[in-house]
Amino acid sequence: MAYDLEEQEKLDALRAWWERYGTLCVVIAFVIAASVAGWRGWQWYQGHQASQAMGYYEALENAATQDGDDAITRVQAASQTLRDDFAGSGYAVRGALVAAESLRRRGELDAARAQLEWVVAKSGDAALIPLARLRLAGIMLDQKKYDEALSQLDNAPSSFAGLYADRRGDILFAQGKKDEAHAAWENALKLLGTDPLTQIVQLKIDALGEA
């Protein structure tokens, strides 16, 4: 009898606990299950987005190696999709750089410039923005927009200082400022150190002396 009373007390205590905390337990269990499901869903979505972005990037790379107006259209379309729909994927920035180079080779300077300006203004990728600015200065040089080109070379990051100085020399030379171009190229030699590019810079200086 004592045993039955003890069991009944335990059951009554359990029932009372459940009446007090049961709803809370159900809610907590639901929140945990929903959180796990949401996290797995987010991971799937992220993976799906990355897979789609990679597909567009590969299509862009493939089109960039081909010739003809159709290839240009496909390069621009793939890059636009990456920038519009997958801007945070990493493929958008790399795609814009590939597209810009492809368009530059085809003489589509305005279109190439637009790609690089997006990288500089919108990408937020601190590692690739300096490269985009360097290439943008080169396109502006080809367009004879010298002051705009020089403005891209301000505040050069240390890892690009030598390359920026070399490009500055190119722009100054195109403006007919030979002394300033010489000084810029000399500075580039110092900053580049043992980089193989110093041979090309030295050739520019030598050619300037002979001009």
Side-chain angles (χ1 to χ4, degrees), residues 80-110:
Q80 188 68 50
T81 298
L82 285 170
R83 286 182 284 144
D84 288 347
D85 299 339
F86 307 97
S89 68
Y91 287 106
V93 179
R94 285 182 283 168
L97 291 172
V98 172
E101 182 59 21
S102 175
L103 293 165
R104 184 197 64 79
R105 290 198 310 268
R106 292 171 167 82
E108 300 286 340
L109 298 184
D110 287 337

PDB file of all heavy atoms in Angstrom, residues 80-110:
ATOM      1  N   GLN A  80      26.224  40.563 -65.991  1.00  0.00           N
ATOM      2  CA  GLN A  80      25.098  41.314 -65.443  1.00  0.00           C
ATOM      3  C   GLN A  80      24.292  40.453 -64.463  1.00  0.00           C
ATOM      4  O   GLN A  80      23.886  40.929 -63.396  1.00  0.00           O
ATOM      5  CB  GLN A  80      24.192  41.794 -66.575  1.00  0.00           C
ATOM      6  CG  GLN A  80      23.099  42.756 -66.122  1.00  0.00           C
ATOM      7  CD  GLN A  80      23.663  44.088 -65.660  1.00  0.00           C
ATOM      8  OE1 GLN A  80      24.471  44.708 -66.354  1.00  0.00           O
ATOM      9  NE2 GLN A  80      23.263  44.538 -64.478  1.00  0.00           N
ATOM     10  N   THR A  81      24.080  39.208 -64.820  1.00  0.00           N
ATOM     11  CA  THR A  81      23.335  38.307 -63.938  1.00  0.00           C
ATOM     12  C   THR A  81      24.084  38.086 -62.624  1.00  0.00           C
ATOM     13  O   THR A  81      23.491  38.096 -61.543  1.00  0.00           O
ATOM     14  CB  THR A  81      23.097  36.948 -64.624  1.00  0.00           C
ATOM     15  OG1 THR A  81      22.301  37.156 -65.799  1.00  0.00           O
ATOM     16  CG2 THR A  81      22.366  35.993 -63.697  1.00  0.00           C
ATOM     17  N   LEU A  82      25.394  37.900 -62.714  1.00  0.00           N
ATOM     18  CA  LEU A  82      26.201  37.713 -61.509  1.00  0.00           C
ATOM     19  C   LEU A  82      26.133  38.945 -60.612  1.00  0.00           C
ATOM     20  O   LEU A  82      26.008  38.833 -59.392  1.00  0.00           O
ATOM     21  CB  LEU A  82      27.653  37.421 -61.884  1.00  0.00           C
ATOM     22  CG  LEU A  82      27.941  36.019 -62.427  1.00  0.00           C
ATOM     23  CD1 LEU A  82      29.358  35.940 -62.992  1.00  0.00           C
ATOM     24  CD2 LEU A  82      27.757  34.971 -61.336  1.00  0.00           C
ATOM     25  N   ARG A  83      26.190  40.121 -61.218  1.00  0.00           N
ATOM     26  CA  ARG A  83      26.168  41.357 -60.417  1.00  0.00           C
ATOM     27  C   ARG A  83      24.785  41.615 -59.820  1.00  0.00           C
ATOM     28  O   ARG A  83      24.668  42.115 -58.708  1.00  0.00           O
ATOM     29  CB  ARG A  83      26.616  42.539 -61.278  1.00  0.00           C
ATOM     30  CG  ARG A  83      28.125  42.545 -61.533  1.00  0.00           C
ATOM     31  CD  ARG A  83      28.551  43.756 -62.351  1.00  0.00           C
ATOM     32  NE  ARG A  83      28.203  43.600 -63.748  1.00  0.00           N
ATOM     33  CZ  ARG A  83      27.796  44.588 -64.531  1.00  0.00           C
ATOM     34  NH1 ARG A  83      27.634  45.800 -64.054  1.00  0.00           N
ATOM     35  NH2 ARG A  83      27.527  44.363 -65.795  1.00  0.00           N
ATOM     36  N   ASP A  84      23.746  41.262 -60.568  1.00  0.00           N
ATOM     37  CA  ASP A  84      22.384  41.537 -60.097  1.00  0.00           C
ATOM     38  C   ASP A  84      21.899  40.514 -59.068  1.00  0.00           C
ATOM     39  O   ASP A  84      21.282  40.875 -58.066  1.00  0.00           O
ATOM     40  CB  ASP A  84      21.412  41.549 -61.285  1.00  0.00           C
ATOM     41  CG  ASP A  84      21.584  42.776 -62.165  1.00  0.00           C
ATOM     42  OD1 ASP A  84      22.261  43.730 -61.741  1.00  0.00           O
ATOM     43  OD2 ASP A  84      21.056  42.759 -63.294  1.00  0.00           O
ATOM     44  N   ASP A  85      22.176  39.239 -59.339  1.00  0.00           N
ATOM     45  CA  ASP A  85      21.576  38.168 -58.537  1.00  0.00           C
ATOM     46  C   ASP A  85      22.531  37.486 -57.560  1.00  0.00           C
ATOM     47  O   ASP A  85      22.081  36.819 -56.625  1.00  0.00           O
ATOM     48  CB  ASP A  85      20.984  37.097 -59.459  1.00  0.00           C
ATOM     49  CG  ASP A  85      19.888  37.649 -60.363  1.00  0.00           C
ATOM     50  OD1 ASP A  85      19.315  38.710 -60.022  1.00  0.00           O
ATOM     51  OD2 ASP A  85      19.604  37.031 -61.403  1.00  0.00           O
ATOM     52  N   PHE A  86      23.832  37.629 -57.800  1.00  0.00           N
ATOM     53  CA  PHE A  86      24.800  36.918 -56.955  1.00  0.00           C
ATOM     54  C   PHE A  86      25.947  37.839 -56.537  1.00  0.00           C
ATOM     55  O   PHE A  86      27.112  37.429 -56.487  1.00  0.00           O
ATOM     56  CB  PHE A  86      25.363  35.709 -57.713  1.00  0.00           C
ATOM     57  CG  PHE A  86      24.302  34.790 -58.262  1.00  0.00           C
ATOM     58  CD1 PHE A  86      23.895  34.893 -59.585  1.00  0.00           C
ATOM     59  CD2 PHE A  86      23.696  33.840 -57.451  1.00  0.00           C
ATOM     60  CE1 PHE A  86      22.912  34.048 -60.096  1.00  0.00           C
ATOM     61  CE2 PHE A  86      22.714  32.998 -57.947  1.00  0.00           C
ATOM     62  CZ  PHE A  86      22.314  33.103 -59.273  1.00  0.00           C
ATOM     63  N   ALA A  87      25.608  39.075 -56.230  1.00  0.00           N
ATOM     64  CA  ALA A  87      26.639  40.086 -55.940  1.00  0.00           C
ATOM     65  C   ALA A  87      27.519  39.703 -54.760  1.00  0.00           C
ATOM     66  O   ALA A  87      28.694  40.086 -54.715  1.00  0.00           O
ATOM     67  CB  ALA A  87      25.975  41.436 -55.669  1.00  0.00           C
ATOM     68  N   GLY A  88      26.978  38.952 -53.812  1.00  0.00           N
ATOM     69  CA  GLY A  88      27.766  38.601 -52.636  1.00  0.00           C
ATOM     70  C   GLY A  88      28.477  37.268 -52.722  1.00  0.00           C
ATOM     71  O   GLY A  88      29.063  36.811 -51.742  1.00  0.00           O
ATOM     72  N   SER A  89      28.470  36.638 -53.881  1.00  0.00           N
ATOM     73  CA  SER A  89      29.003  35.281 -53.992  1.00  0.00           C
ATOM     74  C   SER A  89      30.517  35.226 -54.170  1.00  0.00           C
ATOM     75  O   SER A  89      31.123  34.193 -53.954  1.00  0.00           O
ATOM     76  CB  SER A  89      28.354  34.569 -55.184  1.00  0.00           C
ATOM     77  OG  SER A  89      28.773  35.171 -56.404  1.00  0.00           O
ATOM     78  N   GLY A  90      31.142  36.299 -54.592  1.00  0.00           N
ATOM     79  CA  GLY A  90      32.557  36.256 -54.941  1.00  0.00           C
ATOM     80  C   GLY A  90      32.752  36.042 -56.430  1.00  0.00           C
ATOM     81  O   GLY A  90      33.722  36.525 -57.018  1.00  0.00           O
ATOM     82  N   TYR A  91      31.832  35.314 -57.044  1.00  0.00           N
ATOM     83  CA  TYR A  91      31.914  35.094 -58.490  1.00  0.00           C
ATOM     84  C   TYR A  91      31.599  36.375 -59.252  1.00  0.00           C
ATOM     85  O   TYR A  91      32.065  36.557 -60.382  1.00  0.00           O
ATOM     86  CB  TYR A  91      30.953  33.987 -58.914  1.00  0.00           C
ATOM     87  CG  TYR A  91      31.390  32.602 -58.519  1.00  0.00           C
ATOM     88  CD1 TYR A  91      30.761  31.932 -57.476  1.00  0.00           C
ATOM     89  CD2 TYR A  91      32.437  31.970 -59.177  1.00  0.00           C
ATOM     90  CE1 TYR A  91      31.166  30.655 -57.091  1.00  0.00           C
ATOM     91  CE2 TYR A  91      32.848  30.695 -58.809  1.00  0.00           C
ATOM     92  CZ  TYR A  91      32.211  30.044 -57.764  1.00  0.00           C
ATOM     93  OH  TYR A  91      32.625  28.785 -57.390  1.00  0.00           O
ATOM     94  N   ALA A  92      30.800  37.253 -58.668  1.00  0.00           N
ATOM     95  CA  ALA A  92      30.424  38.486 -59.354  1.00  0.00           C
ATOM     96  C   ALA A  92      31.638  39.368 -59.609  1.00  0.00           C
ATOM     97  O   ALA A  92      31.815  39.910 -60.706  1.00  0.00           O
ATOM     98  CB  ALA A  92      29.384  39.250 -58.538  1.00  0.00           C
ATOM     99  N   VAL A  93      32.494  39.517 -58.612  1.00  0.00           N
ATOM    100  CA  VAL A  93      33.692  40.355 -58.759  1.00  0.00           C
ATOM    101  C   VAL A  93      34.650  39.749 -59.773  1.00  0.00           C
ATOM    102  O   VAL A  93      35.132  40.427 -60.682  1.00  0.00           O
ATOM    103  CB  VAL A  93      34.406  40.529 -57.410  1.00  0.00           C
ATOM    104  CG1 VAL A  93      35.661  41.373 -57.573  1.00  0.00           C
ATOM    105  CG2 VAL A  93      33.470  41.177 -56.402  1.00  0.00           C
ATOM    106  N   ARG A  94      34.919  38.458 -59.614  1.00  0.00           N
ATOM    107  CA  ARG A  94      35.825  37.801 -60.557  1.00  0.00           C
ATOM    108  C   ARG A  94      35.248  37.805 -61.963  1.00  0.00           C
ATOM    109  O   ARG A  94      35.975  37.979 -62.951  1.00  0.00           O
ATOM    110  CB  ARG A  94      36.102  36.365 -60.093  1.00  0.00           C
ATOM    111  CG  ARG A  94      37.051  36.297 -58.910  1.00  0.00           C
ATOM    112  CD  ARG A  94      37.348  34.874 -58.502  1.00  0.00           C
ATOM    113  NE  ARG A  94      36.248  34.298 -57.746  1.00  0.00           N
ATOM    114  CZ  ARG A  94      36.136  33.007 -57.451  1.00  0.00           C
ATOM    115  NH1 ARG A  94      37.045  32.158 -57.891  1.00  0.00           N
ATOM    116  NH2 ARG A  94      35.123  32.564 -56.744  1.00  0.00           N
ATOM    117  N   GLY A  95      33.940  37.638 -62.053  1.00  0.00           N
ATOM    118  CA  GLY A  95      33.302  37.680 -63.366  1.00  0.00           C
ATOM    119  C   GLY A  95      33.422  39.038 -64.015  1.00  0.00           C
ATOM    120  O   GLY A  95      33.666  39.146 -65.222  1.00  0.00           O
ATOM    121  N   ALA A  96      33.272  40.098 -63.217  1.00  0.00           N
ATOM    122  CA  ALA A  96      33.397  41.453 -63.760  1.00  0.00           C
ATOM    123  C   ALA A  96      34.819  41.714 -64.254  1.00  0.00           C
ATOM    124  O   ALA A  96      35.012  42.368 -65.294  1.00  0.00           O
ATOM    125  CB  ALA A  96      33.017  42.476 -62.692  1.00  0.00           C
ATOM    126  N   LEU A  97      35.813  41.207 -63.544  1.00  0.00           N
ATOM    127  CA  LEU A  97      37.203  41.384 -63.975  1.00  0.00           C
ATOM    128  C   LEU A  97      37.475  40.632 -65.279  1.00  0.00           C
ATOM    129  O   LEU A  97      38.135  41.152 -66.181  1.00  0.00           O
ATOM    130  CB  LEU A  97      38.157  40.902 -62.884  1.00  0.00           C
ATOM    131  CG  LEU A  97      38.206  41.751 -61.611  1.00  0.00           C
ATOM    132  CD1 LEU A  97      39.039  41.067 -60.537  1.00  0.00           C
ATOM    133  CD2 LEU A  97      38.764  43.138 -61.907  1.00  0.00           C
ATOM    134  N   VAL A  98      36.966  39.405 -65.366  1.00  0.00           N
ATOM    135  CA  VAL A  98      37.129  38.623 -66.607  1.00  0.00           C
ATOM    136  C   VAL A  98      36.409  39.304 -67.757  1.00  0.00           C
ATOM    137  O   VAL A  98      36.941  39.426 -68.874  1.00  0.00           O
ATOM    138  CB  VAL A  98      36.609  37.187 -66.411  1.00  0.00           C
ATOM    139  CG1 VAL A  98      36.589  36.437 -67.748  1.00  0.00           C
ATOM    140  CG2 VAL A  98      37.469  36.435 -65.406  1.00  0.00           C
ATOM    141  N   ALA A  99      35.197  39.763 -67.498  1.00  0.00           N
ATOM    142  CA  ALA A  99      34.415  40.434 -68.540  1.00  0.00           C
ATOM    143  C   ALA A  99      35.105  41.703 -69.004  1.00  0.00           C
ATOM    144  O   ALA A  99      35.162  41.990 -70.212  1.00  0.00           O
ATOM    145  CB  ALA A  99      33.021  40.753 -68.010  1.00  0.00           C
ATOM    146  N   ALA A 100      35.635  42.474 -68.060  1.00  0.00           N
ATOM    147  CA  ALA A 100      36.305  43.728 -68.416  1.00  0.00           C
ATOM    148  C   ALA A 100      37.502  43.481 -69.324  1.00  0.00           C
ATOM    149  O   ALA A 100      37.700  44.188 -70.322  1.00  0.00           O
ATOM    150  CB  ALA A 100      36.752  44.457 -67.149  1.00  0.00           C
ATOM    151  N   GLU A 101      38.292  42.471 -68.994  1.00  0.00           N
ATOM    152  CA  GLU A 101      39.465  42.174 -69.811  1.00  0.00           C
ATOM    153  C   GLU A 101      39.061  41.689 -71.199  1.00  0.00           C
ATOM    154  O   GLU A 101      39.658  42.066 -72.218  1.00  0.00           O
ATOM    155  CB  GLU A 101      40.332  41.127 -69.109  1.00  0.00           C
ATOM    156  CG  GLU A 101      41.609  40.766 -69.846  1.00  0.00           C
ATOM    157  CD  GLU A 101      42.539  41.945 -70.091  1.00  0.00           C
ATOM    158  OE1 GLU A 101      42.423  42.965 -69.372  1.00  0.00           O
ATOM    159  OE2 GLU A 101      43.373  41.861 -71.015  1.00  0.00           O
ATOM    160  N   SER A 102      38.025  40.850 -71.244  1.00  0.00           N
ATOM    161  CA  SER A 102      37.542  40.349 -72.528  1.00  0.00           C
ATOM    162  C   SER A 102      37.020  41.491 -73.400  1.00  0.00           C
ATOM    163  O   SER A 102      37.314  41.566 -74.600  1.00  0.00           O
ATOM    164  CB  SER A 102      36.434  39.320 -72.287  1.00  0.00           C
ATOM    165  OG  SER A 102      35.857  38.896 -73.505  1.00  0.00           O
ATOM    166  N   LEU A 103      36.262  42.376 -72.810  1.00  0.00           N
ATOM    167  CA  LEU A 103      35.704  43.513 -73.553  1.00  0.00           C
ATOM    168  C   LEU A 103      36.793  44.482 -73.980  1.00  0.00           C
ATOM    169  O   LEU A 103      36.739  45.047 -75.082  1.00  0.00           O
ATOM    170  CB  LEU A 103      34.659  44.219 -72.683  1.00  0.00           C
ATOM    171  CG  LEU A 103      33.390  43.401 -72.396  1.00  0.00           C
ATOM    172  CD1 LEU A 103      32.592  44.026 -71.257  1.00  0.00           C
ATOM    173  CD2 LEU A 103      32.528  43.302 -73.655  1.00  0.00           C
ATOM    174  N   ARG A 104      37.797  44.683 -73.128  1.00  0.00           N
ATOM    175  CA  ARG A 104      38.910  45.583 -73.486  1.00  0.00           C
ATOM    176  C   ARG A 104      39.642  45.060 -74.714  1.00  0.00           C
ATOM    177  O   ARG A 104      39.985  45.826 -75.626  1.00  0.00           O
ATOM    178  CB  ARG A 104      39.875  45.712 -72.308  1.00  0.00           C
ATOM    179  CG  ARG A 104      41.027  46.707 -72.552  1.00  0.00           C
ATOM    180  CD  ARG A 104      42.157  46.508 -71.585  1.00  0.00           C
ATOM    181  NE  ARG A 104      42.784  45.201 -71.747  1.00  0.00           N
ATOM    182  CZ  ARG A 104      43.665  44.922 -72.714  1.00  0.00           C
ATOM    183  NH1 ARG A 104      44.004  45.837 -73.614  1.00  0.00           N
ATOM    184  NH2 ARG A 104      44.200  43.717 -72.789  1.00  0.00           N
ATOM    185  N   ARG A 105      39.897  43.752 -74.749  1.00  0.00           N
ATOM    186  CA  ARG A 105      40.603  43.160 -75.893  1.00  0.00           C
ATOM    187  C   ARG A 105      39.827  43.345 -77.183  1.00  0.00           C
ATOM    188  O   ARG A 105      40.420  43.439 -78.265  1.00  0.00           O
ATOM    189  CB  ARG A 105      40.844  41.668 -75.658  1.00  0.00           C
ATOM    190  CG  ARG A 105      41.867  41.354 -74.593  1.00  0.00           C
ATOM    191  CD  ARG A 105      42.376  39.919 -74.728  1.00  0.00           C
ATOM    192  NE  ARG A 105      41.285  38.961 -74.832  1.00  0.00           N
ATOM    193  CZ  ARG A 105      40.735  38.332 -73.799  1.00  0.00           C
ATOM    194  NH1 ARG A 105      41.160  38.598 -72.576  1.00  0.00           N
ATOM    195  NH2 ARG A 105      39.754  37.466 -73.979  1.00  0.00           N
ATOM    196  N   ARG A 106      38.509  43.403 -77.085  1.00  0.00           N
ATOM    197  CA  ARG A 106      37.665  43.563 -78.260  1.00  0.00           C
ATOM    198  C   ARG A 106      37.428  45.032 -78.603  1.00  0.00           C
ATOM    199  O   ARG A 106      36.665  45.339 -79.508  1.00  0.00           O
ATOM    200  CB  ARG A 106      36.325  42.863 -78.033  1.00  0.00           C
ATOM    201  CG  ARG A 106      36.420  41.334 -77.969  1.00  0.00           C
ATOM    202  CD  ARG A 106      35.097  40.736 -77.528  1.00  0.00           C
ATOM    203  NE  ARG A 106      35.010  39.306 -77.722  1.00  0.00           N
ATOM    204  CZ  ARG A 106      35.502  38.395 -76.907  1.00  0.00           C
ATOM    205  NH1 ARG A 106      36.143  38.791 -75.807  1.00  0.00           N
ATOM    206  NH2 ARG A 106      35.381  37.111 -77.170  1.00  0.00           N
ATOM    207  N   GLY A 107      38.042  45.931 -77.858  1.00  0.00           N
ATOM    208  CA  GLY A 107      37.883  47.358 -78.124  1.00  0.00           C
ATOM    209  C   GLY A 107      36.619  47.958 -77.554  1.00  0.00           C
ATOM    210  O   GLY A 107      36.295  49.119 -77.834  1.00  0.00           O
ATOM    211  N   GLU A 108      35.902  47.211 -76.723  1.00  0.00           N
ATOM    212  CA  GLU A 108      34.662  47.705 -76.100  1.00  0.00           C
ATOM    213  C   GLU A 108      35.037  48.409 -74.785  1.00  0.00           C
ATOM    214  O   GLU A 108      34.763  47.928 -73.675  1.00  0.00           O
ATOM    215  CB  GLU A 108      33.706  46.542 -75.832  1.00  0.00           C
ATOM    216  CG  GLU A 108      33.293  45.769 -77.063  1.00  0.00           C
ATOM    217  CD  GLU A 108      32.294  46.546 -77.926  1.00  0.00           C
ATOM    218  OE1 GLU A 108      31.656  47.471 -77.387  1.00  0.00           O
ATOM    219  OE2 GLU A 108      32.165  46.221 -79.111  1.00  0.00           O
ATOM    220  N   LEU A 109      35.674  49.576 -74.918  1.00  0.00           N
ATOM    221  CA  LEU A 109      36.260  50.228 -73.752  1.00  0.00           C
ATOM    222  C   LEU A 109      35.216  50.748 -72.762  1.00  0.00           C
ATOM    223  O   LEU A 109      35.401  50.654 -71.544  1.00  0.00           O
ATOM    224  CB  LEU A 109      37.179  51.367 -74.202  1.00  0.00           C
ATOM    225  CG  LEU A 109      38.388  50.954 -75.061  1.00  0.00           C
ATOM    226  CD1 LEU A 109      39.265  52.176 -75.365  1.00  0.00           C
ATOM    227  CD2 LEU A 109      39.209  49.882 -74.360  1.00  0.00           C
ATOM    228  N   ASP A 110      34.141  51.306 -73.265  1.00  0.00           N
ATOM    229  CA  ASP A 110      33.103  51.817 -72.353  1.00  0.00           C
ATOM    230  C   ASP A 110      32.483  50.685 -71.539  1.00  0.00           C
ATOM    231  O   ASP A 110      32.243  50.825 -70.334  1.00  0.00           O
ATOM    232  CB  ASP A 110      32.010  52.550 -73.140  1.00  0.00           C
ATOM    233  CG  ASP A 110      32.475  53.903 -73.652  1.00  0.00           C
ATOM    234  OD1 ASP A 110      33.427  54.468 -73.070  1.00  0.00           O
ATOM    235  OD2 ASP A 110      31.887  54.400 -74.634  1.00  0.00           O
TER     236      ASP A 110
END
